[in-house]
Amino acid sequence: MKLFFNVAASVAFSVACQASLIIPRQPSNAGDAGAGFGVLEARALPNAPNGYTPQAGDCPSTRPTLRTAEGLSPQETSWLETRRSVTLPAMEQLLNRLNISGFDASAYFSNNMGNTSMLPNVAIAVSGGGYRACLNGGGAIQSFDSRENNSTAAGHLGGLLQSATYLAGLSGGGWLVGSIFVNNFTTISGLLYNNNASSVWEFQNSIFEGPATGGLQVLDSTEYFDTIYNEVQGKTVHYDTSITDYWGRALSFQLVNASDGGPDYTWSSTASEDFFTSGQSPMPILVADGRAPGQLLISGNTTVYEFNPWEFGTFDPTTYGFVPLEFLGSNFSNGVLPPNDQCVRGFDNVGYVMGTSSSLFNSFLLNLNTTSIPSAFKTVLTHLLTAIGEDNDDIASYTPNPFLGFHNRTSHVAQSPTLTLVDGGEDLQNIPLHPLLQPPRAVDVIFAVDSSADTAYNWPNGTSLVATYERALNASGIANGTAFPAVPDPNSFVNLGLNARPTFFGCNASNATAPTPLVVYLPNAPYVYYSNVSTFDPSYNISERDAIVANGHAVASRANATVDPLWPACVGCAILSRSFERTGTPVPSVCAQCFQTYCWDGTLNSTAPAEYDPVVQLGAVDVQSAAVRRAGAAGWGVAGALVLVAWGLL
């Protein structure tokens, strides 16, 4: 079977899959429009003072300092109260819809409102894997979002996103999370279609070519690269730069709804957005790995850093601290700013943060062979590579190092003027579970969307979960109190089919030596499309883009419960599992059935598996017929309509 098999297995299934899984039907009235294709609002806070170039200025009256990572920041602690007041009603509504026989969600929530810590705390993690991960993860988020059309119908999972406290991403999954939040916590449909106007995700235009004329931006390739070059050169006057600067700016033209790729949009501005301060969205977190200059292999006990709306830093017992993200780039030393130093703002450019989490993709920029790219741009990249050595081409340079002189006894970077970061998946933890395992965050269940390319044909095999489990057991103490449920080896994942369907890990909490979340593993698998595209494919036509999102939706929702009618109830049982344990609530019989079906039972089969080359489960999407998706059911013919009826969508 070819790696990228795009032939439709069935016309009826092709139309049905596109119509039912990814593309909301046209809204029937104006009041529904926001929940359908969506209209992107103008970004509220492009707040960097000098475009892409960080700029020093006056500090606030209380000068920023670093803090030790003994717990959550005051800002996160305060925000959690606000978010909790939003997630609990959303979760109650979701659980009532998920049809858990014998369970009254409203009564359960009412009985426990006096101590809301007894109720579930939900997180979502989206793996790396380039555009494959961005789009496949986008399909999962679309299925979880109650703002999408039909998402709260019977068998659907809309409302899970609204119930989540945290949404973490790295690398390609970080592009997804960043694109959602930098565009005002928009829907996936908003990014795909923008109410039939030019979409944000114009991935048919390669990152090597720049945005198409007539799209969101009007630049030819030369102007596009000239713009990126000039912006980064402005930063170079006072700061070290790396290929990640160019990579991040290029990414922004594909992920940010702005005519110039948003050079003045910062990651920390999320903390001031109304949708976030009011608790209407989860907290976004991106992940990157620390790497010493000259280090080529990232070990399992490397320091893992996170970017959240307020801070950058780590809970790991090495650096073990956080710096206020808004003032990254300031000259911190020993945890404070010298008295006469100004505060720098604008270093945390949203593209640079997304680029840092995906710096492995700097290799894209090492293949600039097209004649449309200005020679000056090629020359700069060549000089950068010469200066740092090609083995270091994946670093992101954070100079000055905010952790200089901080925790000298334990930190590997305390004496270095530069902090170098790399792609968050280089330590094999390609699902960003690390920030969600921190005990102060008390997460009960993590929906882990895995689009890794572990096998020869670019499918996942559980390697990321294994890496996180092994890190939790690492004798060095790097886990620092975090724990993770037991998982099988990658061969067993394949041999037991655990990489082809959802699986729950950590079902029996009594088997763990420390509290762990239940992990709902959602591996990329071919439900309606061969979504195992190469991590380094730089462009996708509209129909390919939509088909990968459709497949991601099908993976997360089990084709809106078509594959397993019990799946929605099982999702609800996973959400409630740890809460049931805390409250001493008997597990409903339907949940016992779900756990029997989806929980890993400890079985292993570590023999070398046969070549893993799965087939499409539900009939392949015909990527050549995507134009019909806007036609409405009346234009699909009898066969397509019959399938939609069978899937409960008409």
Side-chain angles (χ1 to χ4, degrees):
M1 182 180 300
K2 292 183 179 179
L3 184 58
F4 310 122
F5 177 79
N6 295 332
V7 178
S10 158
V11 173
F13 269 114
S14 168
V15 176
C17 292
Q18 288 197 6
S20 63
L21 292 179
I22 168 180
I23 311 302
R25 294 197 296 269
Q26 285 280 19
S28 58
N29 56 63
D32 292 331
F37 291 106
V39 180
L40 291 177
E41 299 177 4
R43 180 70 157 81
L45 291 172
N47 65 343
N50 189 27
Y52 188 72
T53 301
Q55 181 170 299
D58 292 339
C59 292
S61 56
T62 301
R63 291 174 68 81
T65 61
L66 274 66
R67 72 172 183 90
T68 297
E70 294 176 342
L72 303 180
S73 69
Q75 297 93 331
E76 182 174 347
T77 300
S78 175
W79 175 86
L80 284 171
E81 294 183 13
T82 302
R83 179 60 178 163
R84 194 69 163 161
S85 70
V86 176
T87 60
L88 291 181
M91 197 183 310
E92 179 183 338
Q93 294 172 15
L94 171 66
L95 292 170
N96 276 325
R97 288 198 308 269
L98 294 183
N99 195 28
I100 304 172
S101 301
F103 174 72
D104 185 336
S106 295
Y108 186 77
F109 274 60
S110 177
N111 292 338
N112 289 286
M113 286 306 290
N115 182 4
T116 58
S117 66
M118 305 298 280
L119 295 172
N121 189 18
V122 179
I124 301 168
V126 186
S127 82
Y131 294 96
R132 179 187 64 250
C134 180
L135 295 170
N136 183 64
I141 296 300
Q142 187 182 60
S143 74
F144 296 158
D145 192 346
S146 63
R147 298 171 297 173
E148 299 279 6
N149 275 3
N150 305 319
S151 65
T152 58
H156 297 225
L157 301 178
L160 181 54
L161 179 64
Q162 283 67 32
S163 302
T165 305
Y166 300 102
L167 175 58
L170 69 76
S171 202
W175 307 348
L176 167 66
V177 174
S179 192
I180 290 171
F181 278 84
V182 77
N183 294 300
N184 292 307
F185 188 55
T186 188
T187 63
I188 299 304
S189 292
L191 294 170
L192 292 172
Y193 306 115
N194 196 16
N195 203 31
N196 296 311
S198 297
S199 68
V200 178
W201 286 0
E202 296 285 339
F203 297 155
Q204 71 274 24
N205 307 312
S206 166
I207 203 165
F208 297 132
E209 302 168 0
T213 299
L216 288 173
Q217 302 89 15
V218 185
L219 296 173
D220 62 28
S221 292
T222 300
E223 292 172 321
Y224 164 69
F225 279 102
D226 278 346
T227 298
I228 293 173
Y229 171 80
N230 290 330
E231 288 170 348
V232 176
Q233 287 302 294
K235 180 180 176 180
T236 301
V237 174
H238 296 292
Y239 296 91
D240 286 348
T241 55
S242 63
I243 296 180
T244 301
D245 286 277
Y246 298 94
W247 171 241
R249 287 302 301 129
L251 276 177
S252 294
F253 277 90
Q254 294 199 321
L255 301 172
V256 180
N257 184 33
S259 59
D260 53 0
D264 47 3
Y265 293 164
T266 63
W267 190 257
S268 59
S269 69
T270 299
S272 301
E273 294 278 20
D274 289 343
F275 69 78
F276 185 73
T277 59
S278 62
Q280 297 303 309
S281 77
M283 174 176 147
I285 305 174
L286 296 194
V287 171
D289 289 341
R291 192 180 91 169
Q295 183 183 13
L296 301 184
L297 296 177
I298 304 298
S299 68
N301 62 353
T302 191
T303 300
V304 178
Y305 292 86
E306 69 172 61
F307 298 85
N308 67 53
W310 304 282
E311 296 183 309
F312 163 70
T314 180
F315 288 97
D316 286 351
T318 48
T319 305
Y320 197 56
F322 286 88
V323 61
L325 183 60
E326 180 182 359
F327 302 111
L328 198 61
S330 302
N331 191 31
F332 291 98
S333 181
N334 300 310
V336 299
L337 280 177
N340 296 323
D341 274 25
Q342 293 183 301
C343 287
V344 172
R345 293 175 175 85
F347 195 100
D348 64 315
N349 173 270
V350 69
Y352 190 61
V353 172
M354 290 189 288
T356 297
S357 183
S358 63
S359 61
L360 182 65
F361 294 86
N362 287 339
S363 58
F364 272 167
L365 293 180
L366 308 182
N367 296 290
L368 303 177
N369 297 317
T370 124
T371 56
S372 62
I373 296 171
S375 59
F377 192 84
K378 294 180 185 178
T379 300
V380 167
L381 296 181
T382 300
H383 287 168
L384 276 170
L385 283 176
T386 301
I388 64 178
E390 291 192 5
D391 289 332
N392 280 331
D393 57 37
D394 60 344
I395 67 165
S397 176
Y398 283 72
T399 305
N401 171 17
F403 301 108
L404 182 68
F406 189 73
H407 288 162
N408 288 300
R409 186 175 61 83
T410 58
S411 174
H412 305 304
V413 300
Q415 301 305 313
S416 174
T418 296
L419 175 67
T420 54
L421 302 178
V422 295
D423 188 295
E426 286 203 26
D427 62 350
L428 300 184
Q429 294 189 93
N430 200 38
I431 306 174
L433 298 166
H434 179 273
L436 309 177
L437 300 177
Q438 301 307 317
R441 287 184 171 140
V443 171
D444 289 320
V445 57
I446 303 172
F447 289 84
V449 182
D450 191 4
S451 304
S452 302
D454 300 323
T455 71
Y457 289 105
N458 296 335
W459 302 109
N461 67 4
T463 291
S464 180
L465 296 188
V466 173
T468 300
Y469 176 56
E470 290 178 345
R471 191 178 203 267
L473 302 177
N474 194 299
S476 70
I478 191 68
N480 200 29
T482 61
F484 194 71
V487 297
D489 59 276
N491 285 353
S492 293
F493 265 92
V494 176
N495 289 328
L496 301 175
L498 305 181
N499 67 331
R501 64 172 181 84
T503 304
F504 299 171
F505 295 100
C507 293
N508 190 345
S510 63
N511 287 341
T513 58
T516 70
L518 187 147
V519 176
V520 178
Y521 182 56
L522 300 171
N524 183 28
Y527 278 62
V528 299
Y529 184 69
Y530 286 101
S531 54
N532 56 327
V533 294
S534 169
T535 302
F536 295 100
D537 274 0
S539 63
Y540 299 85
N541 67 45
I542 295 297
S543 59
E544 290 172 321
R545 178 199 71 178
D546 291 354
I548 298 172
V549 176
N551 194 76
H553 191 301
V555 168
S557 69
R558 308 229 73 190
N560 292 332
T562 301
V563 174
D564 179 6
L566 204 59
W567 177 242
C570 294
V571 168
C573 295
I575 292 171
L576 288 160
S577 177
R578 294 293 187 261
S579 180
F580 282 160
E581 293 167 4
R582 287 195 295 272
T583 59
T585 300
V587 175
S589 59
V590 67
C591 291
Q593 183 179 349
C594 287
F595 296 151
Q596 180 69 30
T597 301
Y598 287 104
C599 288
W600 176 54
D601 62 4
T603 300
L604 296 173
N605 181 353
S606 302
T607 59
E611 182 177 73
Y612 182 67
D613 190 13
V615 298
V616 165
Q617 299 181 33
L618 299 177
V621 170
D622 179 359
V623 297
Q624 301 305 316
S625 61
V628 304
R629 55 181 160 74
R630 295 183 189 270
W636 294 337
V638 174
L642 287 174
V643 175
L644 289 177
V645 170
W647 284 18
L649 292 159
L650 282 179

